[in-house]
Amino acid sequence: ISSAVPAGERASGIRPRSGVLPPERDIPSPRKPIMSIQSTAVLPEERPWAPTVSWGAVFAGLVLSLIVYLVLSVLGTAIGASAIDPMGDRNPFSGFGVGAGIWAGVTTLLAIAVGGYVAGNLARRSGALH
């Protein structure tokens, strides 16, 4: 039993009408491009949907945020130190951890809010991005 395909017959078993194989249409010619690729350059001024980050505003907001955090931390330390009376109380640090935790949370949130506000206002456009 031979599995060879007779001349003029495709591997699928279909014989062409005239005995000559039709030209293959799904093989592209090397001279003809399959797909044309066109690229265009778009400048940032032409794209209003792509905001740019103002790094100067970001760094100014960061510096001011750190300054506010430092000042409020020193203020909290001074208030906490003046509230302790080591000679009068048996346990002068009772409730100290809760107060320090609340002060640290409020200080952090306030410093972040100030830094974000300044960065948003100093950005020339797209302040909400900052």
Side-chain angles (χ1 to χ4, degrees):
I1 299 175
S2 173
S3 64
V5 178
E9 186 175 316
R10 289 187 178 178
S12 63
I14 301 172
R15 292 180 186 222
R17 288 183 227 161
S18 64
V20 178
L21 291 174
E24 295 293 329
R25 292 195 178 131
D26 39 352
I27 299 176
S29 169
R31 293 183 221 144
K32 209 190 239 186
I34 297 174
M35 174 181 14
S36 65
I37 300 174
Q38 297 176 355
S39 63
T40 57
V42 179
L43 299 175
E45 291 81 26
E46 296 176 9
R47 300 184 307 181
W49 52 268
T52 57
V53 175
S54 174
W55 289 106
V58 170
F59 288 131
L62 173 73
V63 167
L64 194 64
S65 178
L66 290 174
I67 290 172
V68 167
Y69 185 74
L70 180 68
V71 168
L72 289 177
S73 294
V74 169
L75 179 66
T77 302
I79 291 172
S82 68
I84 296 174
D85 184 20
M87 301 303 256
D89 295 333
R90 290 181 96 197
N91 187 5
F93 294 111
S94 64
F96 182 72
V98 174
I102 291 172
W103 182 260
V106 168
T107 299
T108 303
L109 291 177
L110 192 62
I112 290 172
V114 168
Y117 179 78
V118 168
N121 277 336
L122 288 180
R124 281 180 248 171
R125 58 181 181 164
S126 68
L129 176 69
H130 298 77

